[in-house]
Amino acid sequence: MSITARGLRDADFAPLVKAAERWLRLSHHLDEISDETDHVRRKTLAEEVFAGQTADIARDGLRAITDDLDLAVEEARALGTAVEDTAMGLIQCQRDLTDLLLELPYEGLHVSQGGSVIAIVEVDRGQLPGGRNYHEATRYFQGTLDSVLSRANDLNGDLEAAIAKSVGSPSEWRPGPYGTHERNIDQLYDLLENGATPQELNDWWLELPAAERDALVESHPHLVGPTDGFPAEARDTANRILLDEKIAEYERKIKGFDDDPPFLGPVDGAYGPEARDQLQKTLDDLQRLKGNIENRAGNGPEGAFVAEYFLLDFSTDGNGQAVVAVGNPDEADNTAVYVPGTGSTLSGFGGTLSRAETMADDALEYGPDGDSTAVVAWLGYDAPQNVALHSPWGSYAEGAVDPLARFMDGIDASHQNSDGARTTLLGHSYGSTVIGETAVNSDLNVDQIINVGSPGTRADHADDLGIGAENVWSTRSPADIIKIPADWDRVHGPDPVSDEFGGQTFTSDNMTWRPDEAHSAYWDEGNPSRRNFAFIITGQTGMIS
């Protein structure tokens, strides 16, 4: 596969530099061992010290080992030098590309996703704004770009040739020692690529010895962290590794921009300084997420609920996603999964997580003695961002069906006592639409559903959600602005608190008579909805008001 402009621009060559250092360090280490081995042959087992047939066999054996070591020294040194030369050459190509990308916007040009130099401004009669001929300019800069990419690909080819010379071409390779760790990696790739269910993945994981699981988490966190069905503790450890790596990646990108500002873009459609701002925003989001899951664990005020936080997934794609559990869902007697609605982003995930913490706190206060409850803040989908433009459409909910259904299957699969666990899905606003769409279009693995301030569930009746109308609970405060689309538009189906819908309802207060504020007041101190959430989540439906 050839190196593209985008690939060269975004590449991180630090691992290649590190690999070169390791090969050269290995060659030096092997050289020292060779010298020590030869010293033993020539001095310790010298003929004047040891004589006879056995001594001759030992000296011959050591000579053969020394010869093999010397050959390995040369191969490691040659490969290390080749990798080092390639890394330095590619870094220079990347710098040249950066210089080119910096110059292009001043000419009214940029590099398209397909790798062509094109205009980003209107071309008037074949002239760019500075008066330069458009065709001449694009021809010149395209030639410069092609030259840089040609050098980079030549370097890449030289490295492949050096590797082939050292270890042979892939067709000549023979299976060497193949360890358990490598087999585990191959098996996991096969399971994921073949669409294994969360239960199948959990069964496979539990068959591994603890040391092998730990090795997978450390070496391949990107395979463990986002995988539904794997235990929460393993996913948390893997995702924290990935989070630190992602933070470091964005810090490097921003530092590179600040040290030698390139014409960077597009980043979410932004160019230049705006692209830099987008990178900074994403970095801020990631650092905020890390602070949320580290600073809160074990640091609550005296008397307040304190629980472990488990980072089950995250993404910087689109508006960002995150899935964090307050408490371990694999061990809890009750697990609630909270799905937020319109306007939810990675930037604002702290508020989503705060609501999950509130519900975990309330479940501890109002739940049966000895019961444990975990609450998951699940922003595992691209939420609509505009009430008027996005929320009336069902496409956002449709896109969440497979991720949410699979996540709930994973919660069930990884629980240490699935038969005794109670699961609840709680959706606020458009989050209830997501849950309803998922329930209607999948075999959703959940015991109870709670709709809070819902515009509709995409279902005609509570029974259509597949868990029995008696297990579907809804609430809406009288002043909540969502009453307008729920009652009048019915774009997402009947109002969940209506008799027509047929589910169960419970009390919540306005806490304010401002309709927009009432829509978000269900977690406010003193709102009876909080107590009712806790009663439902902990299975005490007889106490609901």
Side-chain angles (χ1 to χ4, degrees), residues 56-218:
D56 290 341
I57 293 173
R59 282 189 288 271
D60 290 343
L62 288 173
R63 183 181 291 106
I65 291 174
T66 301
D67 291 343
D68 287 343
L69 285 169
D70 289 342
L71 179 61
V73 167
E74 292 305 316
E75 289 185 345
R77 183 180 294 128
L79 193 53
T81 301
V83 173
E84 184 178 49
D85 291 345
T86 300
M88 294 302 103
L90 288 173
I91 289 172
Q92 184 58 54
C93 289
Q94 189 178 55
R95 289 171 179 162
D96 293 343
L97 176 63
T98 296
D99 291 341
L100 176 63
L101 294 177
L102 175 64
E103 184 177 359
L104 285 176
Y106 294 104
E107 300 287 345
L109 303 171
H110 83 127
V111 178
S112 71
Q113 291 189 2
S116 299
V117 176
I118 60 174
I120 56 174
V121 295
E122 184 176 351
V123 178
D124 183 20
R125 302 179 198 176
Q127 300 293 312
L128 291 166
R132 189 167 185 176
N133 182 274
Y134 169 67
H135 297 292
E136 290 181 358
T138 53
R139 211 167 25 242
Y140 170 76
F141 287 113
Q142 187 70 57
T144 304
L145 174 63
D146 291 345
S147 175
V148 171
L149 295 180
S150 177
R151 284 163 42 212
N153 281 289
D154 287 346
L155 287 164
N156 190 48
D158 291 343
L159 179 59
E160 290 178 354
I163 294 173
K165 181 179 180 181
S166 176
V167 300
S169 65
S171 61
E172 297 171 338
W173 292 350
R174 296 289 183 269
Y178 196 64
T180 300
H181 182 60
E182 288 75 18
R183 281 195 297 272
N184 290 340
I185 294 169
D186 282 352
Q187 288 176 6
L188 181 51
Y189 270 118
D190 288 342
L191 286 167
L192 294 173
E193 290 173 359
N194 293 323
T197 66
Q199 185 61 61
E200 290 169 339
L201 287 161
N202 184 261
D203 291 343
W204 177 84
W205 181 267
L206 293 180
E207 290 177 356
L208 300 177
E212 292 177 23
R213 297 178 203 160
D214 293 343
L216 276 174
V217 170
E218 183 176 350

Side-chain angles (χ1 to χ4, degrees), residues 331-353:
E331 300 175 351
D333 299 303
N334 314 292
T335 296
V337 177
Y338 165 52
V339 182
T342 300
S344 298
T345 64
L346 182 59
S347 297
F349 187 74
T352 300
L353 187 57

Side-chain angles (χ1 to χ4, degrees), residues 392-408:
W393 302 99
S395 57
Y396 297 92
E398 292 164 3
V401 169
D402 290 343
L404 181 56
R406 189 172 179 86
F407 179 78
M408 295 306 295

Side-chain angles (χ1 to χ4, degrees), residues 245-374:
E245 290 178 352
K246 185 64 73 172
I247 288 173
E249 173 190 333
Y250 274 85
E251 287 175 338
R252 284 195 304 271
K253 287 182 177 181
I254 292 172
K255 184 178 186 300
F257 187 100
D258 293 340
D259 289 347
D260 187 10
F263 172 63
L264 181 64
V267 177
D268 289 346
Y271 292 85
E274 291 183 5
R276 198 267 187 211
D277 292 343
Q278 184 61 43
L279 290 174
Q280 185 64 56
K281 175 184 175 299
T282 302
L283 176 60
D284 292 343
D285 291 345
L286 293 170
Q287 290 175 330
R288 192 179 301 113
L289 174 62
K290 181 175 181 177
N292 283 338
I293 62 176
E294 290 189 351
N295 295 340
R296 298 186 185 201
N299 291 327
E302 185 176 354
F305 176 74
V306 177
E308 289 184 281
Y309 283 74
F310 296 83
L311 180 59
L312 303 181
D313 205 359
F314 75 96
S315 171
T316 58
D317 293 342
N319 291 306
Q321 299 179 7
V323 180
V324 176
V326 184
N328 190 340
D330 295 344
E331 300 175 351
D333 299 303
N334 314 292
T335 296
V337 177
Y338 165 52
V339 182
T342 300
S344 298
T345 64
L346 182 59
S347 297
F349 187 74
T352 300
L353 187 57
S354 179
R355 289 179 177 178
E357 185 177 33
T358 294
M359 288 186 282
D361 192 354
D362 291 342
L364 180 66
E365 180 177 353
Y366 296 109
D369 290 343
D371 254 22
S372 60
T373 298

